[in-house]
Amino acid sequence: VQLVESGGGLVQAGDSLTLSCAASGGTFSMYSLGWFRQAPGKEREFVAAIDRRGGFRRYADSVKGRFTISRDNAKNTVYLQMNSLKPEDTAVYYCAATTVLISLLGPQYEYWGQGTQVTVSS
């Protein structure tokens, strides 16, 4: 499975941004999907995950209530709607796919995109 993220950019604090991740080369609906991020000098961290059908979601406490993960299996795409962005949300955001039902753990994801930069200015 190949994953390609898009939608990153430079925004101001309080703005919104939607990331997309398009998948190809596999049966999209067989995979649960996750978003992770890595800020400069920090380890990669879990952001959000969604199960195969889109009915079950998990979020990191730091983004709960501000970010929404969704998927469109007909378009082979997963989204991350980010509202009320904060400077601490600045990071490279990665989408990932796993055959595990749903996971918050990076090592359980088999496929990763190249990432898209999100920068939030204060």
Side-chain angles (χ1 to χ4, degrees), residues 2-68:
Q2 291 79 47
L3 303 171
V4 179
E5 303 93 337
S6 62
L10 173 62
V11 297
Q12 294 186 333
D15 284 353
S16 298
L17 202 60
T18 299
L19 304 182
S20 300
C21 176
S24 61
T27 303
F28 186 71
S29 59
M30 290 180 58
Y31 295 93
S32 294
L33 302 161
W35 286 97
F36 292 78
R37 66 187 182 187
Q38 187 166 20
K42 295 186 177 181
E43 294 189 354
R44 183 182 62 196
E45 64 174 358
F46 168 78
V47 175
I50 189 167
D51 72 341
R52 298 170 185 173
R53 294 187 177 183
F56 196 61
R57 298 171 175 86
R58 280 291 183 263
Y59 297 95
D61 288 343
S62 60
V63 306
K64 201 171 294 182
R66 299 188 299 122
F67 291 12
T68 302

Side-chain angles (χ1 to χ4, degrees), residues 12-119:
Q12 294 186 333
D15 284 353
S16 298
L17 202 60
T18 299
L19 304 182
S20 300
C21 176
S24 61
T27 303
F28 186 71
S29 59
M30 290 180 58
Y31 295 93
S32 294
L33 302 161
W35 286 97
F36 292 78
R37 66 187 182 187
Q38 187 166 20
K42 295 186 177 181
E43 294 189 354
R44 183 182 62 196
E45 64 174 358
F46 168 78
V47 175
I50 189 167
D51 72 341
R52 298 170 185 173
R53 294 187 177 183
F56 196 61
R57 298 171 175 86
R58 280 291 183 263
Y59 297 95
D61 288 343
S62 60
V63 306
K64 201 171 294 182
R66 299 188 299 122
F67 291 12
T68 302
I69 187 172
S70 62
R71 65 188 294 165
D72 186 336
N73 286 350
K75 295 183 177 179
N76 290 357
T77 302
V78 60
Y79 305 95
L80 185 68
Q81 171 69 42
M82 305 184 293
N83 298 327
S84 302
L85 282 161
K86 304 175 181 180
E88 51 263 45
D89 294 319
T90 295
V92 177
Y93 283 71
Y94 299 90
C95 70
T98 179
T99 53
V100 174
L101 290 181
I102 192 166
S103 177
L104 283 62
L105 303 176
Q108 292 189 325
Y109 285 80
E110 296 103 320
Y111 304 99
W112 292 81
Q114 292 300 306
T116 186
Q117 176 70 47
V118 173
T119 303

